[in-house]
Amino acid sequence: MKIHPGAPFPLGATYGGAGTNFSLFSEVAERVELCLFDGQGQETRVELPEVTAFCWHGYLPNVVPGQRYGFRVHGPWDPAEGHRCNPAKLLLDPYAKAVDGQVQWNEAVFPYHFDDPEGRRNDLDSGPFMPKCVVINPFFDWGNDRPPSRPAHESVIYEVHVKGFTQRHPAVPEEARGSYSALVDPAALAHLKRLAVTAVELLPVHQFVHDSQLLERGLRNYWGYNSIAYLAAHNEYAAAGGSTGQQVQELKHMVKTLHQEGIEVILDVVYNHTAEGNHLGPVLSLKGIDNASYYRLVPDDRRYYMDYTGTGNSLNMRHPHVLQLVMDSLRYWVLDVHVDGFRFDLASTLARELHDVDRLSAFFDIIQQDPVISQVKLIAEPWDVGEGGYQVGNFPPLWSEWNGKYRDTVRDYWRGEPRTLGDFAYRFTGSPDLYATTGRRPSASVNFVTAHDGFTLRDLVSYNEKHNEANGEDNRDGESHNRSWNCGVEGPTGDPQVNALRARQQRNFLATLFLSQGIPMLLGGDEMGRTQGGNNNAYCQDNEISWFDWESADEALIDFTARLIAFRRQHPVFRRRGWFLGKAIRGEGVRDLGWFRPDGELMNDEDWQHGFAKSLGVFLNGDAIPGLDPRGERVVDDTFYVLFNGHHEPLPFRLPARPDWGERWKPVFDTAQDGVEETAAVFAPGEEVRVEGRTVVVLMRQ
């Protein structure tokens, strides 16, 4: 087979219409073989003829989309120095755009023999047991696709799993369920439109691996936080299968369709580690290409890996080619797949320079200056499992963060913990204590009560303890301190009072989430009462435990959630671009924000210190919203008084007596009454409003 010199860039396999260019980076390689596979799995090896700046490359005429391939790298085998090259191992292209098949966990895919893990090199051929990369057709008719470009402060994020969303949907064709295409099937899309969310945040869709130990227990890596190819769309989510790279076309169609409905697509990305694990893990890609460049190794013994993620390895974000891989991947998803942003898993790991998390690390610098990536939505999970890894509030100005302190505080408040009132006030107003002094706005805070990792909302109000027995780890896995409250009974019950309280608590959490400043993130399924039976670590449950149960959906809760989102959209006072000042606005005599005791008096410093206090009123002035709208007009809204009663007993709230705070107040939301209260009742200054125990009431100034 005749091969031309080709070009070193772009890396990966690039089809140009008449043939395909292949390029692979390896600083330690002595030879690189391109391995081509026919329909029967027969392998043809072609040595890449050129090396430029450590990139091995060649061009093959007549190699077209659908061609399956991999690499074999000849180089040093010296684990003590961090080198693990072995041409017996077929390696996935780090820049592959599509992958066909899954890893078969044969001994051949490991670098050692099972009976001698620290001994001789394993030279068994891994080719028959490895998935294969696929050359793709890069061309796609985007038509007039335009990103919705939703301002951050107007965003409502829906965190959802591609497969779990539709796998049990009765109105989606059975052959398509669980796929990229199914997510935008008219029946599934109708639910997103009913809620009116502005963005879907998809759990990982990079090609990932199902861990061998999970498969041995009859489980799978459902969440997908086990990436192996950062530019490849996961093949199991393709309705048409992944053997020809069709998953790429399906994913692009999904993005285009969501954009037509004004919905952005945010990808959950896992650049902190790969599926190759530690020194006992398999050789699938980077480990056999250039182990010492791609991974952070223990300085004193380079056989072993630094692990800030709890998964066995951490990518070496100090190496320029690793940074290039991450940035090339991000740009591919934006420019070629048209996604609108990213949520970075365990993002603190990406910011580690030598050991500590560094706010000025190369990773942040390169994101900041990139003309493409700096313009999309960037969301950090601001922690990892290493020392000093909890970095909530410490990311640079371009970034928003999953606000773990919001989750913890709101959970504690509604389960009745003492001394939460001050923290609750901070979280409700966008966490200015974390973000206001760093050049960021309230939209820096991505507020959430639940996420994929942990209890669902229904389980949060139904269980005090985790119930992870189905994971096969004797219930040792998962978080043990959930800040949950079962309302008096553990798990399902027929007690109508307990069930009524649980329903109210769900509405309380949702009301708090959507009335808070910042970006609300709703865990997909919480709006319909989805339960995982108390499993708070369902990462391995690719079954009914995790999939949406559409036929048991709580329609009343869906309606309540949709009304809340619509209410937030209609009233910009709940999604301000700027911070509250908490003081009189230029002679108007009324503040933009006011905190009141239940007796109608403004709270003082001493009031915030009462550990028993769990109730307060919040005045939100719609006439004092800073900034202008896109047309340059002043933003004006209605004015609201939000009453939070965190006590278990009803409580009378006296309205502020001064008429300038408001002369007439009308109830518009009441979580004790399942949402909007259709009433003619109007309250005057100084009048009492009865608020049921554990309830949120929203009053609008008339």
Side-chain angles (χ1 to χ4, degrees):
M1 182 175 292
K2 185 177 181 180
I3 186 167
H4 302 176
F9 299 105
L11 288 159
T14 306
Y15 174 66
T20 301
N21 188 82
F22 295 89
S23 181
L24 178 76
F25 161 77
S26 177
E27 194 169 339
V28 297
E30 297 161 1
R31 285 195 301 132
V32 174
E33 291 178 305
L34 170 66
C35 307
L36 304 176
F37 295 86
D38 64 18
Q40 288 71 47
Q42 294 298 310
E43 179 180 354
T44 300
R45 301 185 187 183
V46 183
E47 188 167 324
L48 293 179
E50 296 286 334
V51 56
T52 305
F54 300 119
C55 295
W56 300 77
H57 54 92
Y59 176 85
L60 282 174
N62 303 318
V63 168
V64 298
Q67 174 66 56
R68 300 186 306 152
Y69 74 97
F71 293 108
R72 296 181 186 269
V73 173
H74 299 255
W77 171 265
D78 187 356
E81 292 300 318
H83 303 310
R84 296 181 177 272
C85 296
N86 183 352
K89 308 307 174 187
L90 182 71
L91 305 173
L92 292 175
D93 180 1
Y95 280 77
K97 306 297 196 309
V99 174
D100 177 33
Q102 303 296 320
V103 176
Q104 300 176 47
W105 291 108
N106 186 275
E107 185 176 1
V109 304
F110 291 86
Y112 55 87
H113 291 279
F114 289 165
D115 61 356
D116 188 17
E118 297 290 345
R120 68 193 188 283
R121 188 177 79 172
N122 178 345
D123 287 334
L124 295 172
D125 181 10
S126 70
F129 311 102
M130 282 289 293
K132 310 301 188 289
C133 306
V134 183
V135 177
I136 70 161
N137 182 351
F139 307 110
F140 179 81
D141 182 9
W142 284 104
N144 60 353
D145 179 68
R146 294 290 183 273
S149 299
R150 180 85 56 176
H153 69 286
E154 295 182 3
S155 297
V156 175
I157 296 174
Y158 189 74
E159 191 197 26
V160 68
H161 189 283
V162 170
K163 181 177 182 179
F165 186 55
T166 61
Q167 187 64 23
R168 300 179 68 186
H169 201 304
V172 173
E174 187 172 357
E175 65 275 10
R177 292 176 190 169
S179 68
Y180 301 117
S181 297
L183 194 140
V184 291
D185 181 272
L189 196 58
H191 183 72
L192 300 177
K193 294 165 65 176
R194 176 181 177 184
L195 292 176
V197 295
T198 70
V200 291
E201 182 175 303
L202 303 179
L203 267 69
V205 299
H206 287 165
Q207 185 67 36
F208 62 84
V209 171
H210 296 287
D211 319 56
S212 60
Q213 61 269 31
L214 290 179
L215 295 175
E216 290 167 2
R217 301 203 302 267
L219 303 170
R220 288 158 55 85
N221 193 317
Y222 174 67
W223 287 351
Y225 291 94
N226 208 25
S227 299
I228 197 58
Y230 290 127
L231 287 82
H234 189 64
N235 53 30
E236 292 179 304
Y237 299 154
S243 60
T244 62
Q246 183 62 27
Q247 60 266 42
V248 182
Q249 299 293 313
E250 282 192 35
L251 179 61
K252 290 178 178 179
H253 170 72
M254 181 199 75
V255 172
K256 181 179 178 181
T257 305
L258 288 169
H259 282 180
Q260 289 170 351
E261 300 296 339
I263 299 174
E264 296 180 315
V265 178
I266 298 171
L267 299 186
D268 194 333
V269 289
V270 191
Y271 295 114
N272 53 73
H273 75 281
T274 75
E276 292 187 297
N278 59 19
H279 63 291
L280 299 177
V283 177
L284 307 175
S285 182
L286 306 179
K287 188 181 286 187
I289 294 171
D290 192 339
N291 184 64
S293 292
Y294 279 110
Y295 292 114
R296 297 197 63 166
L297 306 178
V298 175
D300 297 334
D301 192 341
R302 292 170 65 81
R303 291 176 298 173
Y304 304 114
Y305 296 78
M306 302 291 289
D307 182 11
Y308 298 111
T309 65
T311 58
N313 64 54
S314 303
L315 279 187
N316 181 15
M317 300 302 292
R318 297 176 295 171
H319 194 285
H321 273 278
V322 179
L323 286 170
Q324 181 184 2
L325 171 61
V326 172
M327 295 304 295
D328 286 348
S329 169
L330 292 170
R331 277 191 292 267
Y332 169 76
W333 291 104
V334 174
L335 296 176
D336 285 54
V337 190
H338 290 203
V339 304
D340 305 282
F342 304 95
R343 178 265 189 189
F344 292 79
D345 179 66
L346 299 181
S348 292
T349 298
L350 307 178
R352 290 185 182 272
E353 288 285 285
L354 296 176
H355 176 72
D356 293 336
V357 177
D358 186 349
R359 195 166 180 266
L360 301 177
S361 71
F363 174 70
F364 289 135
D365 290 345
I366 202 168
I367 291 283
Q368 178 77 32
Q369 61 79 41
D370 189 272
V372 174
I373 308 307
S374 64
Q375 301 305 302
V376 301
K377 291 181 170 64
L378 302 172
I379 302 171
E381 182 185 33
W383 50 77
D384 63 20
V385 301
E387 181 181 352
Y390 191 78
Q391 294 291 319
V392 173
N394 291 331
F395 275 66
L398 279 181
W399 292 72
S400 297
E401 301 175 15
W402 269 27
N403 190 343
K405 292 186 177 181
Y406 181 96
R407 171 200 60 204
D408 296 346
T409 297
V410 172
R411 287 187 179 193
D412 279 346
Y413 174 78
W414 283 115
R415 71 189 179 112
E417 286 296 293
R419 298 192 180 280
T420 58
L421 214 54
D423 278 345
F424 182 81
Y426 276 129
R427 306 306 149 232
F428 183 74
T429 53
S431 297
D433 57 325
L434 300 177
Y435 306 113
T437 62
T438 60
R440 290 193 276 178
R441 298 179 184 270
S443 56
S445 178
V446 175
N447 302 328
F448 66 104
V449 176
T450 55
H452 68 273
D453 187 1
F455 281 145
T456 66
L457 182 60
R458 180 172 167 184
D459 289 352
L460 185 68
V461 302
S462 303
Y463 295 92
N464 284 352
E465 309 296 335
K466 63 184 180 182
H467 296 271
N468 299 352
E469 291 80 8
N471 295 354
E473 300 178 42
D474 297 323
N475 206 34
R476 295 190 305 269
D477 62 305
E479 177 60 58
S480 296
H481 183 44
N482 293 286
R483 293 181 161 89
S484 61
W485 180 49
N486 64 16
C487 298
V489 178
E490 187 74 357
T493 178
D495 188 320
Q497 290 185 319
V498 172
N499 286 329
L501 178 56
R502 289 175 176 176
R504 184 183 302 182
Q505 284 286 77
Q506 290 180 82
R507 294 193 293 269
N508 288 336
F509 280 119
L510 291 168
T512 305
L513 176 66
F514 289 110
L515 298 178
S516 295
Q517 304 298 319
I519 300 174
M521 186 186 77
L522 176 67
L523 172 62
D526 277 356
E527 76 282 1
M528 62 174 63
R530 186 175 73 89
T531 177
Q532 294 177 169
N535 192 321
N536 74 351
N537 190 33
Y539 76 102
C540 55
Q541 299 297 334
D542 190 0
N543 50 48
E544 287 82 359
I545 291 176
S546 299
W547 302 338
F548 286 37
D549 183 1
W550 291 91
E551 294 184 343
S552 300
D554 185 338
E555 291 293 331
L557 191 59
I558 296 174
D559 285 340
F560 176 77
T561 307
R563 291 200 301 269
L564 268 173
I565 294 173
F567 184 73
R568 179 185 177 88
R569 183 177 65 249
Q570 293 161 6
H571 295 290
V573 74
F574 295 106
R575 46 180 177 80
R576 292 163 47 113
R577 291 180 66 242
W579 300 104
F580 287 106
L581 300 177
K583 60 184 180 181
I585 306 297
R586 292 193 176 86
E588 295 179 9
V590 175
R591 309 168 184 222
D592 62 345
L593 173 73
W595 300 101
F596 288 85
R597 301 187 314 225
D599 64 2
E601 296 296 324
L602 282 166
M603 293 184 68
N604 56 41
D605 291 343
E606 184 179 345
D607 293 327
W608 292 108
Q609 307 307 317
H610 292 315
F612 61 84
K614 298 181 180 66
S615 299
L616 77 166
V618 189
F619 174 85
L620 303 172
N621 191 347
D623 293 326
I625 301 175
L628 305 175
D629 68 16
R631 298 183 301 276
E633 302 292 334
R634 180 169 173 258
V635 180
V636 179
D637 191 14
D638 294 301
T639 293
F640 295 91
Y641 195 54
V642 185
L643 308 177
F644 291 96
N645 183 9
H647 293 281
H648 66 279
E649 297 293 340
L651 193 66
F653 278 76
R654 188 174 298 278
L655 297 177
R658 279 173 35 198
D660 53 346
W661 290 105
E663 295 185 350
R664 300 188 333 145
W665 295 95
K666 178 182 175 64
V668 291
F669 255 94
D670 186 341
T671 60
Q673 303 297 326
D674 197 14
V676 177
E677 176 75 0
E678 295 295 340
T679 176
V682 175
F683 296 92
E687 195 170 346
E688 286 188 351
V689 178
R690 176 185 168 91
V691 179
E692 298 296 328
R694 294 194 170 92
T695 294
V696 182
V697 171
V698 181
L699 305 175
M700 184 168 69
R701 189 168 67 183
Q702 298 296 290

